[in-house]
């Protein structure tokens, strides 16, 4: 499918003065694609040239169309010497390659120079004519849609979710090539920008091919990252979830009006009907092993029936044999399917059946030069290993899939930590053959089953638990077992029933490490990792309890490696799930009970903790209905915990008794204070200040408990770099500094955005890096959304009822999920019991969280860790080329459903002016409907300066650069015809400075989905017309399917 | 632990009006922080001084980056780097070009040159306005002056078009440009009681009536030397004003004029006798001012002369504003009844404006 790319250069404006003598510029433009270059005429003596060029035409392969960016260079003509470059514009033409998206790119683009920043703007028009070509033995994957959004995009419906796709490409980093020594920084930066752009294009094309093999037509939750490995090269890698999406014909209609494959996909029937596994394979000639394996999985799938019988009633023991049977089958299926991972964090109703808990794996690697860029086997193998690990963790949790899956790296010199994490889950594999096509959501809902607390119910066998956990009967349906705490990496399911509001919870940690080289360094890091994981985990648990909550969503643990320290930062959104038991309090136990003043001190602390818990409960409106023991059923006794708890009995202040009363029969969380370390920890617990009134914050898409968003949004990026004084560097001092840094940053945000209250900071995303020895860099991107306080109460109630009904029905919703899951497919919300693999590491890390009354017992901490370490040592000893892994696992609990938080109906805001482009890290825009996805925005910029002081120092430099990046993103979106970027993310912000040389350099990588949105108020006006149109369009659709 | 870098960038650029004012007023970051602390913001918001410092720095940095664009406001509207809602853009521009009364009184009518710029130190010391703010205001005057100086067409419209100012502010700038161009003296001690508003009022009347543009001659011929239609006084008109001298030079005419005015005002004026005694002096003063306007030096002293020759004598005789109004009306109108006087139109063009100016200038 070759195509013709047409480019027209219209005009320029605000160009810089290039000729000092005349204060004017003689500008012309070079347009380059692949190896072809065209030039415009020179427009003499103007800062606002009007070139109005002819159409420059490039005849190219679609493979090139996907890989290559269009490169536009603006130059100043000079008769006697070389022409001076003013700047460049790179345009990714990918959005033009699928007709559903943009048809033309036209608009003003900032002219960007890596040394001077933005220097004026240029008006460009770009079009692509694609020739249909039925040759399927091709290397391009035009037509596959990409979305950064980690849920099914708003105006689409998922017909099939095929599963995980991944790819990576490697290359030498131009910055480290020999030639870099003789070329200018500008040339080197531009070479890098261009290379990364090319690699991204190639990567996307390759992923697209994989999607086509799987017979999908789209990638959702596409996450592309690059690893700057320095000397050893440049890796660009991406993961995503392959899907077959179906466009909802009208944005106003919620239901799929038709299932017609859209026009542009005719040549390859990407949207295959959701029929079963083995189907004829004419569609894709590139039928690889994976593809066929996939289909086999389906034929293997058996036990759909087993669970229908069980229904929701019988929990526990009767399930045993079934579970065992099922386990085998699932296992068999799992073995065949390579990686049953989804990068999605929100799911179509009914897809998510149970959640097991967080699974994560890390591995420390030594980087080595990539010898053959065409076969990046080492890197592939590394990731494959990690994914395998994740998979086995999930299996241990009785889950056959991992959702909310993500991967990341942290590199320092030659050491690299690879991390992957996700949430083990059981998904509903059921196919609805006809239903998907005709069944409207409503219809399906009606025929549905009870309650939607299902996702909290444990997927593993309670008699054979993967880690010690404290189970109770679900507080919602009272039929199934739930754990006491649930940690996940996904968004809160829309049908979950939540009490009160949620809040951002962070665990922060620093650990010093000796400077070392190579293997020694890797070993040191590997040895530290388990301690860090454990402590991060403990902090999270403590903070969660302190908030009086019982579940974490959107958990993201980032471990960053630096020269002489490791940093851990975990962020998550805490909520109180109504289905899970009320969390116990925190008790403080002293080591020396006879010392009077000490005793007093302890009881003072205890009082503060209790006060904080009470205050938090009030703040977040957590007043769960009282449930009597009998109704719930007796929890499974957990003798082990009781014994540990005894230590705290020395404590007997009034507060404690009160505490015990208020928490009823629940065991309290015990903190034993036996040294200053522990004291510090308790203090740090209490130093987290709640946001000022009128503010809420979370790191998930939506804030649990708030559903009446108004339309004002403000996306922002904030960066801080602090220098630690090299003296007195102890772990405690570090922790304190780091804590202070994060807390201050949050405080600053609240202060800056105070005019927006009441508002909520959503999708708060912290990234930590350690650019140099004593520097810590924290980057935060988030969006503040206003909401209406008054509307809140009424809507929630009405909503809750509705969603409750809806939720239950959702379970039956089908989403074809052609993973291995068919093996234990179950249509009902019954839970497929599955595995417990008592995995050594996982059991350990699981302990503190999973137990209802967990105890962090500092006195025995060392022991426990040492045994843990031994296990780890057993597991992985290899360092060179091998890996050392530490693993973290899981928790789990259960709620039930409520909460369509995304109540979009908001008072219409003043009509936005022309040219405004909104940006948000969320997948939606409050008070508006997304009517069209225009394509993915994936941009990479380098900025460098040799006059740092003149540009306002590091702050001035970076401030300007980030503002420029925003401007370039907005300009590209506007040129595509869009008015917003959703799922925006700044994936990388690498900042390096050399103040003594007056130099600094920064690399930024951002991505998101360009969309067109319409205000709901405007939409209503149009809706009447549209519904008429809908009827018409839906007709042809039925025919095709 | 020291902060090396600390920035906040919003997709929509955050503008804090209070901080903007502090910035415009030329306060350093530390002074601004101190002032904000004093305003009680910490208590209201529960923020810490560190937070305030960081916030102030951020805003200052933003304003610094915006300043380049504010120098050519249309650029602010078309630029892509800062996404700012139109209402905020207007506010940024308006506030940036707003000036202090105390400052403008010091500079009004002075040549907007380097020399004057050097005096800014003194002005700053005298007025208590920070040097930075003085510089901004001075540079604004100069910038506007440079842009519209050579432009044809309505001065106010030109300013509005190129600087996107509100009508009121554009009028003020028109006055500033007009005064700077004609170098009217406004700094003399006896003029100190006059406000910028008084001068701006006069400037507007003069632009409307005494410049080339005022005659309503459309710029039909682009090559003609009529470029600065609103900025320069109509030379021909000034030349013609000499003809008015006859009103005081011709004794009969002067006596006739006096008797006409006195007849009409008898019994109506609280200060009739004083008027009667002073009539000739006053009339001589007003007419001589007109006759002298051919010399640039005398044009510059216009306001000094008006105050000396008219305002001060009247004031010393305790004329009320109403007395002045009645007198000037009658004084202007009576000329029409002077049969021997042929320059009625000229007189009206001169006196119409002058009457307006004098009424405005007549206060304590």
């Amino acid at each position: 499918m070759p195509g013709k790319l047409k480019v027209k250069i219209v005009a320029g404006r605000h160009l810089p003065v290039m000729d000092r003598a005349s204060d004017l510029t003689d500008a012309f433009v070079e347009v380059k694609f692949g190896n072809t270059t065209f030039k415009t005429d020179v427009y003499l003596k103007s800062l606002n040239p009007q070139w109005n060029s002819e159409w420059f035409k490039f005849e190219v392969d679609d493979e090139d169309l996907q890989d290559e960016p269009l490169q536009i260079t603006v130059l100043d003509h000079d008769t006697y010497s070389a022409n001076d470059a003013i700047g460049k514009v790179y345009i990714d033409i990918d959005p033009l390659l699928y007709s559903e998206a943009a048809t033309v790119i036209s608009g003003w683009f900032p002219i960007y120079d890596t040394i001077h920043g933005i220097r004026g703007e240029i008006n460009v028009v770009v079009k692509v004519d694609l020739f249909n070509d039925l040759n399927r033995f091709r290397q391009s994957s035009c037509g596959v849609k990409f979305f950064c959004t980690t849920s099914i995009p708003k105006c689409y419906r998922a017909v099939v979710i095929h599963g995980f796709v991944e790819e990576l490409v490697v290359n030498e980093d131009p910055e480290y090539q020999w030639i870099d020594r003789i070329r200018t920084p500008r040339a080197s930066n531009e070479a890098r920008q261009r290379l990364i752009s090319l690699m991204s294009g190639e990567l996307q094309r390759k992923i697209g091919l994989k999607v086509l093999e799987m017979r999908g037509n789209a990638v959702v939750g596409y996450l592309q990252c690059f690893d700057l490995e320095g000397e050893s090269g440049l890796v660009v890698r991406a993961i995503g979830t392959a899907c077959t999406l179906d466009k909802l014909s009208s944005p106003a209609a919620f239901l799929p009006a038709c299932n017609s494959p859209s026009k542009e996909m005719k040549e390859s029937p990407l949207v295959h009907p959701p029929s079963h596994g083995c189907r004829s394979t004419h569609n894709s000639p590139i039928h690889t092993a994976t593809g066929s394996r996939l289909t086999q999985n389906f034929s293997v799938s058996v036990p759909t029936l087993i669970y229908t019988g069980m229904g929701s009633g019988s929990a526990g023991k009767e399930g045993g044999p079934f579970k065992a049977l099922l386990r085998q089958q699932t296992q068999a299926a799992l073995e065949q399917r390579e990686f049953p991972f989804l990068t999605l964090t929100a799911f179509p109703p009914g897809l998510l059946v149970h959640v097991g808990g967080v699974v994560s794996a890390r591995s420390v690697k030594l980087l080595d030069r990539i010898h053959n860029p065409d076969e990046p086997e080492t890197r592939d193998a590394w990731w494959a290993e990690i994914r395998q690990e994740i998979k086995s963790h999930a299996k241990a949790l009785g889950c056959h899939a991992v959702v909310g899956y993500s991967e990341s790296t942290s590199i320092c010199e030659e050491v690299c930590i690879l991390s992957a994490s996700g949430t083990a889950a059981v998904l509903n594999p059921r196919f609805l053959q006809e239903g998907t096509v005709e069944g409207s959501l409503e219809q399906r809902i009606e025929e549905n089953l009870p309650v939607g607390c299902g996702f909290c119910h444990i997927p593993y066998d309670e008699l054979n638990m993967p880690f010690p956990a404290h189970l109770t009967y679900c507080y919602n349906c009272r039929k199934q077992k739930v754990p006491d705490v649930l940690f996940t990496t996904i968004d809160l399911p829309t049908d979950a029933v939540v009490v009160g509001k949620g809040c951002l919870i962070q665990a922060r940690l620093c650990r010093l490490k000796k400077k070392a080289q190579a293997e020694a360094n890797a070993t040191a890091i590997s040895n530290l990792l388990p301690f860090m994981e454990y402590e991060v985990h403990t902090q999270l648990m403590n903070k969660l309890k302190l908030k009086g909550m019982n579940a974490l969503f959107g958990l993201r643990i980032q471990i960053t490696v630096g020269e002489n320290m490791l940093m851990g930062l975990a962020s998550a959104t805490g909520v109180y799930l109504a289905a899970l038991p009320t969390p116990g309090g925190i008790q403080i136990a002293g080591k020396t009970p006879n010392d009077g003043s000490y005793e007093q001190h302890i009881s003072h602390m205890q009082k503060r903790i209790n006060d904080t818990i009470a205050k938090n409960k009030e703040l977040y409106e957590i007043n769960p209905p009282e449930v009597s023991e009998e109704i719930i059923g007796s929890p499974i006794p957990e003798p082990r915990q009781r014994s540990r708890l005894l230590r705290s009995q020395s404590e007997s202040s009034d507060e404690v008794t009160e505490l015990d009363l208020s928490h009823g029969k629940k065991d309290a969380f015990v903190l034993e204070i036996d040294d200053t370390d522990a004291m510090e920890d308790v203090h740090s617990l209490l130093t987290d200040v709640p946001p000022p009134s009128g503010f809420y914050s979370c790191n998930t898409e939506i804030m649990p408990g708030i559903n009446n968003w108004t339309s004002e949004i403000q996306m922002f990026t904030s960066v801080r770099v602090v220098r630690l004084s090299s003296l007195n560097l102890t772990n405690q001092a570090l922790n304190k500094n780091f804590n202070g840094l994060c807390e201050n940053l949050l405080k600053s945000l609240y202060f800056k955005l105070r005019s927006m209250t009441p508002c909520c900071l959503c999708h708060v995303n912290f990234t930590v890096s350690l650019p140099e020895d004593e520097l810590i860099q924290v980057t935060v991107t988030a969006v503040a959304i206003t909401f209406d306080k008054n509307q809140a109460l009424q809507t929630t109630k009405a909503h809750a009822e509705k969603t409750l009904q809806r939720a239950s029905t959702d379970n039956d919703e089908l989403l074809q999920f052609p993973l291995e899951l068919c093996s234990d497919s179950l249509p009902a919300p019954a839970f497929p019991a599955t595995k417990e693999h008592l995995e050594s590491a996982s059991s350990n890390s699981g302990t503190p969280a999973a137990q209802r009354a967990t105890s962090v017992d500092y006195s025995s901490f060392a022991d426990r860790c040492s045994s843990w370490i031994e296990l780890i040592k057993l597991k992985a000893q290899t360092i060179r080329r091998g890996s050392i892994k530490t693993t973290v696992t899981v928790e789990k609990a259960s709620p039930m459903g409520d909460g369509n938080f995304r109540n979009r109906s908001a008072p219409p805001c003043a009509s936005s002016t022309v040219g405004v482009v909104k940006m948000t890290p969320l997948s939606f825009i409050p008070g508006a409907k997304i009517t069209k996805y225009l394509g993915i925005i994936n941009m990479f910029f380098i900025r460098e300066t040799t006059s740092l002081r003149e540009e306002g120092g590091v702050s001035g430099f970076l401030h300007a650069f980030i503002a420029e990046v925003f401007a370039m993103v907005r300009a590209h979106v506007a040129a595509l015809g869009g008015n917003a970027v959703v799922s925006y993310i700044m994936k990388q912000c690498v900042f390096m400075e050399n103040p003594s040389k007056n130099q600094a350099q920064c690399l930024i990588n951002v991505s998101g989905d360009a969309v067109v949105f319409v205000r709901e108020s405007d939409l209503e006006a149009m809706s009447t017309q549209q519904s008429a149109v809908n009827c018409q369009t839906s007709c042809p659709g039925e025919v095709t399917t | 632990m020291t902060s090396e870098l600390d920035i906040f960038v919003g997709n929509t650029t955050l503008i804090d009006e209070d901080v903007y004012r502090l910035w415009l007023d030329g306060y350093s970051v530390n002074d601004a922080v101190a002032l904000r602390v004093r305003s009680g913001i910490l208590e209201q918001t529960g923020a810490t001084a560190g937070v305030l410092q960081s916030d102030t720095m951020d805003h200052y940095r933003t304003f610094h980056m915006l300043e380049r664009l504010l120098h050519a406001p249309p650029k602010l509207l078309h630029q892509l780097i800062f996404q700012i809602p139109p209402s905020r853009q207007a506010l940024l521009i308006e506030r940036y070009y707003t000036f202090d009364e105390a400052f403008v009184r010091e500079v009004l009518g002075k040549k907007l040159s380097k020399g004057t710029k050097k005096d800014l130190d003194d002005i700053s010391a005298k007025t208590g306005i920070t040097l930075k703010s003085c510089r901004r205001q001075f540079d604004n005057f100069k910038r506007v002056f440079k842009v519209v100086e050579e432009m044809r067409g309505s001065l106010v419209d030109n300013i509005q078009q190129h600087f996107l100012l509100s009508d009121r502010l554009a009028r003020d700038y028109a006055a500033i440009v007009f005064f700077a161009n004609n170098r009217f003296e406004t700094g003399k001690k006896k003029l100190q009681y006059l406000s910028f508003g008084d001068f701006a009022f006069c400037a507007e009347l003069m632009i409307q009536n005494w410049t080339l543009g005022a005659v309503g001659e459309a710029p039909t011929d682009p090559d003609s030397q009529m470029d600065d239609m609103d900025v320069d006084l109509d030379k021909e008109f000034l030349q013609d004003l000499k003809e008015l001298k006859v009103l005081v030079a011709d004794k009969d005419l002067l006596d006739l004029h006096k008797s006409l005015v006195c007849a009409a005002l008898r019994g109506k004026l609280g200060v009739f006798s004083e008027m009667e005694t002073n009539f000739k002096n006053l009339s001589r003063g007003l007419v001589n001012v007109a006759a002298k306007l051919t010399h640039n030096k005398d044009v510059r002293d216009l306001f000094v002369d008006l105050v000396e020759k008219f305002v001060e004598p009247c004031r010393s005789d305790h004329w009320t504003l109403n007395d002045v109004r009645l007198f000037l009306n009658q004084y202007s109108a009576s000329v029409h009844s002077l049969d021997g006087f042929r320059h009625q139109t000229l007189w009206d063009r001169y006196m119409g404006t002058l009457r307006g100016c004098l009424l405005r200038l007549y206060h304590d």
Side-chain angles (χ1 to χ4, degrees), chain A residues 122-191:
Chain A
I122 184 169
N123 194 324
V124 181
V125 186
V126 185
K127 288 180 178 175
V128 173
D129 292 337
L130 281 181
F131 309 130
N132 278 346
D133 175 0
L134 296 182
N135 172 20
R136 305 203 173 288
F137 294 90
R138 55 178 204 208
Q139 288 300 304
S140 86
S141 53
C142 290
V144 174
K145 294 182 277 288
F146 285 80
F147 300 92
C148 295
T149 303
T150 57
S151 56
I152 301 303
K154 293 296 177 295
C155 42
Y156 290 89
R157 188 178 59 99
V159 180
V160 186
I161 295 177
H162 300 279
F164 190 60
V165 278
E166 47 77 28
E167 185 64 81
L168 64 81
V169 292
V170 300
N171 211 315
E172 264 187 282
D173 191 336
E175 186 104 334
Y176 294 89
Q177 284 165 347
W178 68 268
I179 193 170
D180 203 60
R181 278 177 226 149
I182 53 166
R183 66 182 164 191
T184 63
R186 175 182 284 120
S188 156
N189 290 339
E190 281 172 2

Side-chain angles (χ1 to χ4, degrees), chain A residues 9-76:
Chain A
I9 306 297
V10 184
R13 66 181 183 195
H14 305 148
L15 294 189
V17 170
M18 297 299 283
D19 178 3
R20 290 261 159 250
S22 64
D23 266 4
L24 289 168
T25 296
D26 304 325
F28 71 100
V29 182
E30 273 182 14
V31 184
K32 187 176 174 196
F33 189 82
N35 295 319
T36 318
T37 306
F38 291 102
K39 281 182 194 175
T40 66
D41 298 332
V42 176
Y43 195 93
L44 292 170
K45 303 203 180 311
S46 173
L47 298 182
N48 301 290
Q50 305 288 319
W51 292 288
N52 232 332
S53 79
E54 55 182 306
W55 284 100
F56 299 123
K57 294 177 183 132
F58 301 87
E59 288 179 358
V60 277
D61 276 353
D62 47 355
E63 192 181 333
D64 288 340
L65 280 174
Q66 286 194 292
D67 287 6
E68 294 269 351
L70 175 66
Q71 185 180 322
I72 293 168
T73 313
V74 185
L75 299 112
D76 176 51

Side-chain angles (χ1 to χ4, degrees), chain B residues 274-290:
Chain B
E274 290 89 338
M275 187 274 285
E276 205 171 14
T277 359
N278 262 333
F279 181 87
K280 285 187 181 166
N281 278 338
L282 293 175
S283 185
R284 240 179 240 125
L286 293 176
V287 171
N288 283 336
V289 165

